[in-house]
Amino acid sequence: MEFDTIAAISTPSGEGAIAIVRLSGPEAVAIADKLFRAASKKALAAQPTHTIHYGHLEDPATAEVVEEVMVSLMKAPKTFTREDVIEINCHGGIVSVNRVLELALRAGARLAEPGEFTKRAFLNGRIDLSQAEAVMDLIRAKTDRAMDVALNQMEGKLSKLIGTLRQALLESIAQMEVNIDYPEYDDVEEMTRPIMLEKSKWVRSEIDKLLQTSSQGKILREGLSTVILGRPNVGKSSLLNSLVQENKAIVTEIAGTTRDIIEEYVNVRGVPLRLVDTAGIRETEDIVERIGVERSRKVLKEADLILYVLNYSEALTPEDELLFETVKDMDYIVVINKTDLPQKIDLEQVQKLAGDKLLVTTSLIEEEGIDQLEEAIAALFFQGEIEAGDMTYVSNVRHIALLHQAHKTISDAIEAAEMEVPVDMIQIDVTRTWEILGEIIGDTADDGLLNQLFSQFCLGK
Amino acid sequence: MPQYEAGTFDVIVVGAGHAGAEAALASARMGAKTLVLTMNLDMIAFMPCNPSIGGPAKGIVVREIDALGGAMGRVIDKTHIQMRMLNTAKGPAVRALRAQADKVLYQQEMKRLMEEEPNLTLHQGIAEELVVEDGKIQGLITQVGGIYRANSVVITTGTFLRGEIIIGDLRYSSGPNNQQPSIKLAENLEKLGFETVRFKTGTPPRVNSNSIDYSKTEIQPGDDVPRAFSYETTEYITDQLPCWLTYTNEQTHQVIDDNLHLSPMYSGMIKGTGPRYCPSIEDKVVRFNDKPRHQIFLEPEGRNTREVYVQGLSTSLPEHVQRKLLESIPGLEKAEMMRAGYAIEYDSIVPTQLWPTLESKRIENLYTAGQINGTSGYEEAAGQGLMAGINAAAKVLGKEEVILSRSDAYIGVLIDDLVTKGTNEPYRLLTSRAEYRLLLRHDNADIRLTELAYAIGMVKEERYVKFLAKKERIEEEIKRLRGIMIKPNETTQQVIRDAGGSELKDGIRGADLLKRPEMTYEMISQLTPSTVELEDEVKEQVEIHIKYEGYIEKSLQQVDKLKKMENKKIPDNIDYHAISGIATEARGKLAEVRPLSIAQASRISGVNPADISILLVYIEQGKIAKISV
């Protein structure tokens, strides 16, 4: 039988040390070759079957190295599905394995349906008839489970948001259809390219946001990357220690001297943090220190949250102000430490520099102010635009893949609208987007459009 | 009633409305000896509702009927009083032609065509009973005891089955326009086990043109350019009549509000489901009460009559209320009402009881087409009639059945929707029902369907040869434009500047230049004229093909996927109840619809992808025997 190429994570979800993404189908090897850079420099297509290869996965869009992997190459027919099969062994952890799967999907594979590998094995004669019923049960069970998940998601904020996007698209589509099917109907505004363009752009930006939260799935899985920043000797290490002592450390110290980066994993009121202490960020001649500083800058750039520590008993220095400048577009909390000592800092000036960011005063030595800081962190996280619940949803690979597809189709619509393509053609991609978004929340009922049409407009001729 | 042997035919068509006429002509043209039986020979191809043919989606159906060798396009081309191309400001996929018909001339022309068709016998009579033996149709018996024997029967009874007209609180047994209803046949179908539903439709009052004050209305003329539905038409009607536009107002709506209690729609007297896309005026006013006015189109019913159809005022309110409604409308204050509007309720059969050939699953060689299948609209009826006629004849003649795919034609979409999903209101084709509408255009109906029509004998050699030549010219010209380089000389730049585009920096291929939104084929041909004279239809094809290549390509890819699914056939003798993995609801639906392919199965509502997967596993294994314990 002729099939397309499918991909899926074939190891149980969870935090295994190794995870496997499996591809099966006529394009499996070609897709893998688009992503995989073997240490041997040889393409998989040129390798003998049933061999394992070490190398890296590269994102073809950015040429960025994504993962260090082992790839098993198994050519048809002596494989599980009797098709060409590629198994990419990557680091466990939902984020990295999702990333690998996403790459495979973007390179042309289709996300496998529940039980589809087994189904193919069966259809290609790999499994005999006596196992047929087992296969059917498997498909049924997996689908039911997937549907349970879908049902849960119906309650979620994601489904609400997707619902809103779909409704907005549907209204435009319905309006367009009325324009087409009832051209003389004078009561409905003519759907024009600018309106279509504006709406499409809005939908795309919302999809963008969702896709961003999908990359922020790492916040929950790996912890919110939190950098403790400040001049030397303001109490950065004390803050780190306080947070660690106060909270159960998940992973202990990874590496470092005082001049290097120290990472600690803690859970602050339900928010997992990956705490990073940095060596002071300032110009230095000291080589060892400079290496520390360079790495610090990089860490800073990638941070989700910054705890910026100031000294209560010292006046603000130009260096402090420079640091304010450095973090100005980032999420940060100002921690003014050492309230046990006499005040020399100008709090008004600090507030001015910090703008609408939160200020917390602490005396880490006296163990004061830690609670307030933790509350501030939690508040910032939970009251922000992103809620914890949502993020698990959008970390669902199927959803990410569909969102990418929706992003592609709505981008096509936007491009067409800008190219002055007729509106009814632009609508083809808009409608497709609407359908794809429907797949995310499991709503594929196709009478939705007609219902909308007839409830929204009073139609005659 | 004594019975007598009245004759033997290959195919009998019952009814000669828009479905029946096409069915009879198609069957005869396919080479089957055909009888068409109608209650009243003067009512052939009668238009009981609006005097117009075509419009969005529907107009494309007329083109498809023509490409397949049907009659509707040819007849309306000869008998219209006005034609307009709609949606000209939009893309080519949604353009559609609509004609205002001279109702009487249309009927006469259709009757003449049928009378002249070899192999076709016309007879006035009422079919009352179907003769069925061993689950197969054998013929029928008429009200005067005539026994007509046939291999296949096509029933196209429209709204006649137990038809009832309703005006105000008056309700009486009748077909449309006070013709006889068909009651015995309805009872017979019920006895044979057909599941039916009650649908409702309606029509507005007609007024005398002499009593209309047109100065208070807006004129709606036809197009200046001559237009035609049929690919065979060479003579065009230039003498056109206009339609007129007026509006309801608050006074009209007040009349309705005040008299709503007299409306059978709201008193509960009408039980049948009406179409949402063609609501009565009382429905419009109640459901959209914030709308200050509704459009009313005044459409002449023909050249030799003063009767005018009041489009948009469909109603079943009592006659005296209808008079008040007319009085409230600008231009109609003094209008003489010639006929009152009415609602009509009728039986239609649940169309999931049919195969995609429109043959009944219950009784072999029995076909149904048109409004009896739950549709509304002349074009929908004609499209089904054509296909039922073709298939009824094909079966008798031992030829292969003809099923149009959703990617072939709107007619394919229509029939697939009906037999796969059924319908819970009178079904009308809408552009949005076609997922491949970019491929199912007005302009390319011949390219889509002539090949098939020729192969089954619906289109003659001469037309086919002409078609092949046209197709070749299109392909040649596309090839030429893809190859030829246009140099950025002053002439070129001038043409581009005039079109509002930005000048060329380098040479460009003709096709690529045509892809620019501001460029047209005419402009390109100024720069690089074709060596042969090309007709407008060819130029149009070339332009659409090149300009929208990307979109067409995308649609074709989707069609590829569809075809793969369509090629996965489901064996006829499959026992869905023996497949344990399929969900209960899906199993019931599959057993009811009995889809022919996986593609059709996947369109049944309530059948989800897991069910399809399991079905595939089951079929591929080639074991129809029970798998589970």
Side-chain angles (χ1 to χ4, degrees), chain A residues 377-434:
Chain A
I377 293 170
L380 194 70
F381 185 72
F382 286 114
Q383 289 168 17
E385 283 191 13
I386 319 146
E387 276 190 31
D390 278 356
M391 275 182 291
T392 39
Y393 289 140
V394 204
S395 65
N396 177 317
V397 190
R398 195 180 75 87
H399 296 167
I400 295 174
L402 286 168
L403 279 171
H404 276 295
Q405 281 179 33
H407 192 272
K408 171 82 174 63
T409 52
I410 199 75
S411 296
D412 286 349
I414 290 169
E415 194 190 324
E418 284 167 344
M419 286 285 290
E420 299 192 17
V421 167
V423 188
D424 54 286
M425 297 216 169
I426 303 170
Q427 193 215 328
I428 295 174
D429 285 317
V430 174
T431 306
R432 187 73 198 116
T433 309
W434 176 70

Side-chain angles (χ1 to χ4, degrees), chain A residues 1-3 113-114 119 122-123 127-129 132-133 135-137 139-140 143 147 176-177 179-187 190 408 412-413 416-417 419-429 431-432 435 446-447 449-451 453-461, chain B residues 56-57 84 86-87 90-94 98 100 220 247 276-279 284 287-288 291 293-295 297 299 311 421 425 428 430-433 437-438 515 517 548 551 554 558 564 568 579-583 608-611 613-614 616-618 620-621 623 627-629:
Chain A
M1 276 189 77
E2 199 189 317
F3 288 120
E113 290 158 20
K119 186 176 103 187
F122 175 78
L123 293 182
I127 299 174
D128 66 33
L129 183 61
E133 196 181 351
V135 175
M136 291 186 193
D137 285 349
I139 293 171
R140 180 92 268 157
T143 311
M147 274 167 73
M176 186 68 233
E177 294 295 343
N179 291 164
I180 292 169
D181 275 328
Y182 297 86
E184 282 147 335
Y185 181 71
D186 64 346
D187 200 45
E190 186 75 18
K408 171 82 174 63
D412 286 349
M419 286 285 290
E420 299 192 17
V421 167
V423 188
D424 54 286
M425 297 216 169
I426 303 170
Q427 193 215 328
I428 295 174
D429 285 317
T431 306
R432 187 73 198 116
E435 288 167 355
D446 53 8
D447 52 358
L449 173 59
L450 291 183
N451 289 333
L453 211 70
F454 295 121
S455 59
Q456 197 176 339
F457 305 106
C458 173
L459 300 169
K461 190 164 182 170
Chain B
R84 282 180 70 190
L86 304 171
N87 287 333
K90 302 187 183 82
V94 297
R98 191 183 60 209
Q100 296 300 134
Q220 303 259 299
Y247 297 91
R276 284 176 298 177
Y277 45 80
C278 190
K284 290 187 203 173
R287 286 183 50 221
F288 297 90
K291 255 195 93 170
R293 61 178 200 176
H294 297 275
Q295 289 167 314
F297 293 92
E299 305 178 356
Q311 167 81 267
K421 294 176 183 161
E425 66 180 325
R428 174 189 165 162
L430 293 162
T431 313
S432 58
R433 297 197 199 263
R437 73 176 183 214
L438 187 56
K515 276 188 183 154
Y548 304 110
Y551 282 93
K554 242 196 250 180
Q558 286 177 325
K564 275 189 189 157
K568 294 193 207 309
I579 310 173
S580 65
I582 294 177
N608 69 33
D611 299 315
S613 284
I614 289 166
L616 261 177
V617 168
Y618 193 88
E620 288 298 326
Q621 200 57 32
K623 296 278 179 187
I627 285 177
S628 60
V629 272

Side-chain angles (χ1 to χ4, degrees), chain B residues 50 160 361 381 399 475 485 531 535 595 620-621:
Chain B
N50 57 328
F160 282 75
K361 291 170 191 167
K399 293 187 188 171
E475 279 159 11
M485 282 304 278
T531 47
E535 59 267 45
E620 288 298 326
Q621 200 57 32

Side-chain angles (χ1 to χ4, degrees), chain A residues 38-51:
Chain A
S40 67
K41 310 257 188 235
K42 272 170 95 175
L44 292 167
Q47 299 280 10
T49 184
H50 291 76
T51 49

Side-chain angles (χ1 to χ4, degrees), chain A residues 38-65:
Chain A
S40 67
K41 310 257 188 235
K42 272 170 95 175
L44 292 167
Q47 299 280 10
T49 184
H50 291 76
T51 49
I52 297 187
H53 309 274
Y54 168 78
H56 291 87
L57 281 196
E58 217 176 79
D59 184 340
T62 60
E64 179 194 343
V65 171

Side-chain angles (χ1 to χ4, degrees), chain A residues 261-450:
Chain A
I261 296 166
I262 295 171
E263 285 191 2
E264 294 283 356
Y265 286 77
V266 297
N267 189 319
V268 172
R269 305 193 179 198
V271 186
L273 298 187
R274 195 174 84 242
L275 283 171
V276 186
D277 179 22
T278 61
I281 291 193
R282 60 188 163 88
E283 297 308 315
T284 173
E285 293 303 313
D286 185 323
I287 305 246
V288 183
E289 212 173 313
R290 199 171 66 203
I291 294 165
V293 171
E294 267 166 21
R295 295 185 62 176
S296 301
R297 285 236 157 96
K298 185 166 180 284
V299 169
L300 193 62
K301 240 174 77 186
E302 289 168 0
D304 298 311
L305 174 67
I306 289 156
L307 302 176
Y308 176 26
V309 189
L310 293 170
N311 189 338
Y312 184 76
S313 66
E314 280 177 21
L316 280 180
T317 65
E319 231 174 332
D320 289 328
E321 289 180 35
L322 189 71
L323 287 179
F324 265 115
E325 189 58 31
T326 314
V327 297
K328 82 171 185 301
D329 292 326
M330 310 179 74
D331 284 326
Y332 65 91
I333 297 172
V334 181
V335 182
I336 305 168
N337 189 31
K338 303 195 183 182
T339 51
D340 47 297
L341 297 175
Q343 177 177 6
K344 289 211 179 123
I345 198 163
D346 180 348
L347 283 177
E348 263 178 47
Q349 195 193 348
V350 173
Q351 187 68 67
K352 222 168 102 191
L353 286 165
D356 56 358
K357 299 290 197 274
L358 281 171
L359 253 59
V360 179
T361 52
T362 59
S363 168
L364 293 169
I365 285 185
E366 311 258 315
E367 295 183 8
E368 276 170 19
I370 295 283
D371 276 355
Q372 286 88 322
L373 176 60
E374 289 188 6
E375 261 165 43
I377 293 170
L380 194 70
F381 185 72
F382 286 114
Q383 289 168 17
E385 283 191 13
I386 319 146
E387 276 190 31
D390 278 356
M391 275 182 291
T392 39
Y393 289 140
V394 204
S395 65
N396 177 317
V397 190
R398 195 180 75 87
H399 296 167
I400 295 174
L402 286 168
L403 279 171
H404 276 295
Q405 281 179 33
H407 192 272
K408 171 82 174 63
T409 52
I410 199 75
S411 296
D412 286 349
I414 290 169
E415 194 190 324
E418 284 167 344
M419 286 285 290
E420 299 192 17
V421 167
V423 188
D424 54 286
M425 297 216 169
I426 303 170
Q427 193 215 328
I428 295 174
D429 285 317
V430 174
T431 306
R432 187 73 198 116
T433 309
W434 176 70
E435 288 167 355
I436 294 169
L437 291 177
E439 284 176 40
I440 295 180
I441 54 176
D443 178 7
T444 47
D446 53 8
D447 52 358
L449 173 59
L450 291 183

Side-chain angles (χ1 to χ4, degrees), chain A residues 6 60 69 85 100 129 133 175 199 202 226 231 248 270 279 291 319 331 361 381 440 450:
Chain A
I6 52 171
V69 294
V85 169
V100 171
L129 183 61
E133 196 181 351
Q175 194 179 333
K199 205 159 231 177
W202 174 71
T226 309
R231 282 187 289 122
K248 188 176 165 246
I291 294 165
E319 231 174 332
D331 284 326
T361 52
F381 185 72
I440 295 180
L450 291 183

